[in-house]
């Protein structure tokens, strides 16, 4: 049974933007990447899955339960998300932040139990933040801060981890570091990963399955080799590409932007 | 590192290098800050008992407090200074705690309870009674308390749109403050001959407080303290931001409402007995945060102690330094508050927890 099943999700907050009849299913241990042009609704889909937003129609079944019937902390024990931007928490240390990850498990009157502390230390170790655990977040680099937030998500012991553009603000080595870390978590803990990524090649390299969205609809899904075709790029991204199939995963090279060459482009 | 996923513990304990956080320098700083604050509070209270038109030496104070030796000094201490010091400490404590919570709710280090209408609402009711219904002067504390609540509820209701986010609350607060302030000023204009009585209250002061006032506020103080202890967790979670807090399963709207309730209760207590004292709610948590950080487990009690110390000291200074005039403590605090903000500006702007 799939760990995550979003069925027939529709969401129309404004007339100009709407998500229409989207289905996303994820098995335990799968790595899924959602790709698509800006405004296609990728981040919105993540928010609908986490119940930050409520869809107009459709249901999201998480580990067999409808998320509408679940309490906030019940959801948080199964599903964790790394938001795209994190409000700068100025004097929190890494360890302080990771401790928050135990919040869904704590009663309103209890503090950190011994097990909570152990899980926090484990999460810090798993993200290789041991030497930075007492540093303030504001003094860390972008990649280190991202790892700290991942450590916090880890402390929730989630079965599913959602990531909204986790690499967008990072330099290339930190991007690689984060993607490798996430892959490792997926391998070692069989954690389901659903990420929104802008870099097609990163998506192809680090995912088992791709979902392509455009203008609020799902237009393609499948393995990277199945999904990354010339037709798809022309129709969805309005670019022509050259695709190399040498590696285990395809590598895409941009050739020409169709929109830019079009004299009547928007 | 192998991390097999099982139904029990999905992590390998052999991977843990240390099960408990080491003692870091923050803990030491916090302990020192606590000790220093307690010392300042006791010193301020003693200062408040010693100083005045009659200087009462320390030995006599000891005799009065412990042995109840009847004398003129005992009268002064027991009937005037002791209640004033205790109420001053209560007022400072609740104002600082209120400000600390407000800064957490608004995610703004410059927030204080006045921002959501506490002062405006209390002020209007107090002015109404003092000017138009002066025969009901004994209702002023209750009216101020109620007025504060009504203003806050209106502000909250106005800010509601599928939830009350800080920006909307602040905007609504500005609107309510404006409107209520206008009405208050209008009344003062219409009855300009009776305005003199109102001004000290609006400036905020503790003159004329007695055991009666302490008895009046103590149950509310006790309630507020209990609620504040529960509020610590809420305030800490909201520090992460709405999105992260929701993703951790925290009900942010209910949480924020609860914090506003507690904050209003705290500020309402102060305003009912001492009028509009500003700056304590804003300045004290700000300074305390620089030493102990944003964690409310430490920020809150420390703010309470320092707030108490500040108001007791400022009140004592205000009533004795300008002999024979007794300055309302709110004016002295405002005078001290101004330079403080200049100092903040020079340091480069007050960010939360910036050292």
């Amino acid at each position: 049974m799939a760990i995550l099943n979003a069925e027939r999700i529709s969401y129309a907050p404004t007339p100009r933007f709407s998500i229409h009849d989207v289905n996303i299913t994820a098995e335990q241990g799968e790595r899924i990447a959602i790709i698509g042009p800006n405004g296609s609704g990728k981040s919105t889909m993540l928010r609908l899955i986490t119940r930050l937003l409520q869809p107009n129609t459709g249901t999201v079944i998480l580990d067999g339960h409808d998320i509408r019937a679940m309490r906030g902390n019940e959801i948080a024990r199964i599903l964790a998300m790394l938001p795209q931007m994190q409000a700068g928490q100025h004097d929190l240390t890494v360890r302080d932040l990771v401790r928050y990850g135990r919040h869904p498990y704590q009663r309103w009157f209890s503090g950190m139990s011994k097990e909570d502390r152990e899980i926090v230390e484990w999460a810090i170790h798993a993200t290789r933040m041991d030497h930075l655990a007492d540093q303030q977040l504001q003094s860390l680099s972008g990649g280190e801060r991202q790892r700290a937030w991942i450590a916090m998500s880890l402390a929730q012991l989630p079965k599913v981890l959602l990531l909204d553009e986790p690499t967008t603000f990072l330099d290339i080595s930190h991007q690689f570091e984060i993607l490798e870390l996430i892959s490792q978590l997926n391998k070692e803990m069989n954690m389901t990963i659903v990420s929104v990524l802008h870099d097609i090649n990163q998506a192809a390299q680090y995912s088992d399955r791709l979902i392509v969205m455009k203008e609020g609809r799902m237009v393609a899904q499948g393995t990277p080799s199945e999904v990354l075709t010339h037709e798809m790029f022309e129709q969805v991204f309005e670019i022509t590409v050259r695709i190399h199939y040498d590696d285990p995963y395809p590598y895409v090279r941009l050739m020409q932007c169709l929109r830019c060459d079009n004299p009547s482009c928007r | 590192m192998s991390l097999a996923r099982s139904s029990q513990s999905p992590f390998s304990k052999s991977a843990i290098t240390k099960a408990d956080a080491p003692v870091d320098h923050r803990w030491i700083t916090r302990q020192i800050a606590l000790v220093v604050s307690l010392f300042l509070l006791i010193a301020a209270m003693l200062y408040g008992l010693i100083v005045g038109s009659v200087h009462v030496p320390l030995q006599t104070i000891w005799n009065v407090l412990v042995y109840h030796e009847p004398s003129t000094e005992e009268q002064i201490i027991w009937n005037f200074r002791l209640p004033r010091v205790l109420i001053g400490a209560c007022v400072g404590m609740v104002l600082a705690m209120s400000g600390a919570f407000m800064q957490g709710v608004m995610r703004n280090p410059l927030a204080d309870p006045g921002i959501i209408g506490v002062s405006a609402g209390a002020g209007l009711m107090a002015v109404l009674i003092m000017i138009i219904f002066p025969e009901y002067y004994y209702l002023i504390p209750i009216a101020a308390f109620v007025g504060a609540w009504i203003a806050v509820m209106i502000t909250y209701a106005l800010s509601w749109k599928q939830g009350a986010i800080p920006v909307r609350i602040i905007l609504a607060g500005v609107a309510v403050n404006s409107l209520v302030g206008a009405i208050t000023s209008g009344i003062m204009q219409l009855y300009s001959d009776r305005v003199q009585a109102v001004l000290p209250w609006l400036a905020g002061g503790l003159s004329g407080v007695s055991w009666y006032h302490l008895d009046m506020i103590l149950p509310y103080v006790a309630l507020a303290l209990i609620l504040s202890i529960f509020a610590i967790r809420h305030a800490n979670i909201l520090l992460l931001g709405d999105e992260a807090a929701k993703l951790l399963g925290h009900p942010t709207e209910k949480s924020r409402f609860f914090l506003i309730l507690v904050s209003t209760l705290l500020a309402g207590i102060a305003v009912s007995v001492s009028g509009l004292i500003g700056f304590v709610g804003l300045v004290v948590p700000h300074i305390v945060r620089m030493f102990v950080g944003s964690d409310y487990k430490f920020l809150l009690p420390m703010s309470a102690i320092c707030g108490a110390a500040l108001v007791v000291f400022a009140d004592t200074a205000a009533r004795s330094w300008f002999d024979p005039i007794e300055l309302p403590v709110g004016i002295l605090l405002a005078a001290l508050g101004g330079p403080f903000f200049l100092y903040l500006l020079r340091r480069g702007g007050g960010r939360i927890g910036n050292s």
Side-chain angles (χ1 to χ4, degrees):
Chain A
M1 190 189 61
I3 186 82
L4 175 65
N5 193 356
E7 270 177 10
R8 310 204 57 136
I9 301 288
S10 289
Y11 176 69
T14 69
R16 278 182 4 191
F17 171 79
S18 63
I19 303 235
H20 190 77
D21 208 20
V22 173
N23 300 303
I24 293 182
T25 309
E27 303 292 329
Q28 183 72 54
E30 255 196 314
R31 294 174 304 170
I32 295 179
I34 306 178
I35 58 174
N38 284 338
S40 53
K42 313 187 291 293
S43 299
T44 312
M45 269 314 295
L46 286 190
R47 274 168 178 66
L48 288 165
I49 293 174
T50 57
R51 214 177 62 175
L52 285 175
L53 298 172
Q54 274 76 47
N56 297 120
T57 66
T59 49
V60 178
I61 311 286
L62 184 65
D63 205 13
H65 306 287
D66 188 336
I67 60 168
R68 280 173 306 198
M70 294 168 82
R71 290 207 323 262
N73 56 2
E74 286 171 344
I75 298 180
R77 293 182 207 185
I78 305 178
L79 188 131
M81 175 162 128
L82 209 71
Q84 186 179 0
M85 305 257 238
Q86 295 108 21
Q89 301 317 314
H90 303 277
D91 60 8
L92 284 179
T93 64
V94 171
R95 186 171 279 115
D96 290 338
L97 179 66
V98 179
R99 282 200 176 132
Y100 278 112
R102 300 304 301 159
H103 182 88
Y105 294 88
Q106 289 170 335
R107 312 292 309 153
W108 52 267
F109 49 78
S110 67
M112 302 275 297
S113 70
K114 183 160 181 292
E115 196 192 351
D116 287 334
R117 285 187 216 280
E118 286 175 357
I119 294 174
V120 166
E121 294 307 314
W122 163 78
I124 291 175
H125 185 74
T127 49
R128 288 186 302 278
M129 296 290 281
D130 309 79
H131 58 296
L132 294 171
D134 292 308
Q135 298 281 338
Q136 291 190 358
L137 287 179
Q138 60 185 348
S139 65
L140 300 178
S141 73
E144 289 163 346
R145 210 173 302 142
Q146 198 74 306
R147 274 194 287 154
W149 280 84
I150 291 177
M152 184 188 87
S153 299
L154 265 195
Q156 289 172 246
L157 297 181
K159 295 184 182 169
V160 181
L161 181 61
L162 305 181
L163 302 134
D164 193 354
E165 296 189 39
T167 56
T168 299
F169 298 106
L170 304 177
D171 66 52
I172 196 165
S173 69
H174 286 127
Q175 290 185 14
F176 179 65
E177 182 182 50
I178 294 292
L179 289 169
E180 284 291 319
L181 170 62
I182 294 167
S183 242
Q184 186 187 8
L185 293 173
N186 162 264
K187 255 201 292 282
E188 291 180 354
M189 298 183 60
N190 207 30
M191 192 182 286
T192 310
I193 309 281
V194 180
S195 31
V196 169
L197 289 169
H198 268 307
D199 189 319
I200 308 286
N201 289 314
Q202 283 176 357
Q205 182 176 353
Y206 287 98
S207 314
D208 305 315
R209 189 147 60 88
L210 295 183
I211 294 177
V212 185
M213 287 186 70
K214 181 175 172 119
E215 286 167 3
R217 288 159 204 270
M218 187 176 77
V219 294
Q221 81 164 312
T223 66
S225 311
E226 291 166 5
V227 163
L228 300 180
T229 63
H230 298 95
E231 298 78 44
M232 189 279 288
F233 280 105
E234 273 176 36
Q235 283 164 17
V236 176
F237 290 95
E238 292 170 339
I239 54 174
T240 53
V241 297
R242 182 168 297 163
I243 307 176
H244 301 271
Y245 291 96
D246 317 315
D247 283 333
Y249 35 84
Y251 175 78
V252 175
R253 194 180 144 204
L254 169 70
M255 299 300 292
Q256 197 180 52
C257 174
L258 295 173
R259 200 169 53 232
C260 312
D261 295 82
N262 189 340
S264 62
C265 75
R266 289 163 267 145
Chain B
M1 170 176 67
S2 74
L3 302 150
R5 179 103 193 158
S6 71
S7 55
Q8 281 175 319
S9 319
F11 56 97
S12 158
K13 298 205 173 170
S14 63
I16 298 166
T17 47
K18 44 185 185 259
D20 282 297
V23 173
D24 51 337
H25 74 283
R26 275 194 323 180
W27 185 85
I28 299 175
T29 312
R30 284 167 176 166
Q31 301 302 307
I32 296 177
L34 179 65
V35 168
V36 168
S37 310
L38 283 172
F39 174 74
L40 286 176
L41 176 60
I42 295 174
M45 291 175 86
L46 286 175
Y47 183 58
L49 291 174
I50 294 175
V51 160
S53 50
V54 174
H55 181 100
V56 179
L58 204 52
Q59 182 62 44
T60 319
I61 292 180
W62 178 259
N63 292 338
V64 167
L65 288 178
V66 178
Y67 301 114
H68 283 258
E69 264 181 28
S71 60
T72 30
E73 281 92 356
E74 197 253 354
Q75 291 287 312
I76 295 174
I77 298 289
W78 206 259
N79 294 338
F80 294 106
R81 292 193 195 161
L82 189 57
R84 185 158 177 155
V85 157
L86 289 174
I87 291 176
C90 281
V91 165
M93 175 177 78
V94 296
L95 280 177
M97 289 167 74
S98 183
F101 282 133
M102 267 294 110
Q103 286 164 14
V105 169
M106 303 300 170
R107 279 197 283 281
N108 187 327
L110 295 178
D112 77 346
I115 222 177
I116 52 169
V118 167
S119 325
L124 177 58
M125 298 300 273
V127 162
L128 267 176
I129 291 187
M130 279 189 261
I131 288 189
I132 303 186
F133 305 105
E135 64 269 24
Y136 294 109
Y137 69 93
Y138 55 89
L139 284 181
I140 289 175
I142 306 270
F145 191 74
V146 168
W149 274 98
I150 294 178
V152 169
M153 289 302 116
I154 293 178
T155 302
Y156 192 79
L158 285 176
S159 69
W160 185 270
K161 185 184 166 190
Q162 293 159 355
I165 57 172
V167 169
R168 291 183 62 86
I169 300 177
I170 292 177
L171 283 176
V174 169
V176 167
N177 277 328
S178 268
L179 190 59
V180 171
I183 298 175
T184 310
S185 297
I187 295 177
M188 285 164 68
Q189 275 293 320
L190 287 173
Y191 294 86
S192 48
D193 50 323
R194 305 190 199 176
V195 154
Q196 276 304 105
V198 169
L199 295 177
W201 196 94
L202 290 177
L206 292 168
S207 64
V209 295
S210 64
W211 291 107
Y212 165 74
H213 295 96
L214 190 62
D215 290 336
M216 182 179 69
I217 64 171
L218 265 181
Y220 295 99
V221 171
L223 175 64
L225 284 178
I226 293 173
L227 290 178
S228 298
I229 294 177
F230 291 127
I232 288 176
R233 200 169 129 81
H234 290 264
N236 274 337
I237 287 283
L238 287 183
L239 283 180
L240 282 185
D242 262 28
E243 204 169 70
K246 283 185 196 163
L247 288 169
L248 289 168
H250 191 75
T252 49
E253 287 306 324
K254 289 189 205 159
S255 207
R256 215 184 335 263
F257 185 67
F258 178 59
L259 284 177
I260 289 179
L261 276 183
V262 177
S263 198
T264 305
L265 176 61
L266 288 163
I269 293 170
V271 98
S272 69
V273 85
S274 65
L276 309 180
I277 295 185
F279 280 107
V280 178
L282 208 151
V283 157
V284 170
H286 210 90
I287 300 180
V288 169
R289 200 178 281 115
M290 287 196 251
F291 289 99
V292 302
S294 302
D295 187 341
Y296 278 80
K297 283 203 296 291
F298 308 101
L299 180 64
L300 195 70
M302 282 288 303
S303 295
I305 297 172
C306 292
L310 177 64
V311 169
V312 170
F313 172 75
D315 178 55
T316 309
R319 67 175 164 81
S320 57
W321 290 1
F322 307 95
D323 217 21
I325 299 176
E326 238 195 58
L327 206 64
V329 66
I331 292 182
L332 183 66
L333 283 170
L336 292 176
F340 174 73
F341 281 100
L342 287 176
Y343 165 71
L344 276 186
L345 265 172
R346 284 209 62 197
R347 278 187 99 215
R351 295 195 295 280
I352 291 185
N354 190 28
S355 53

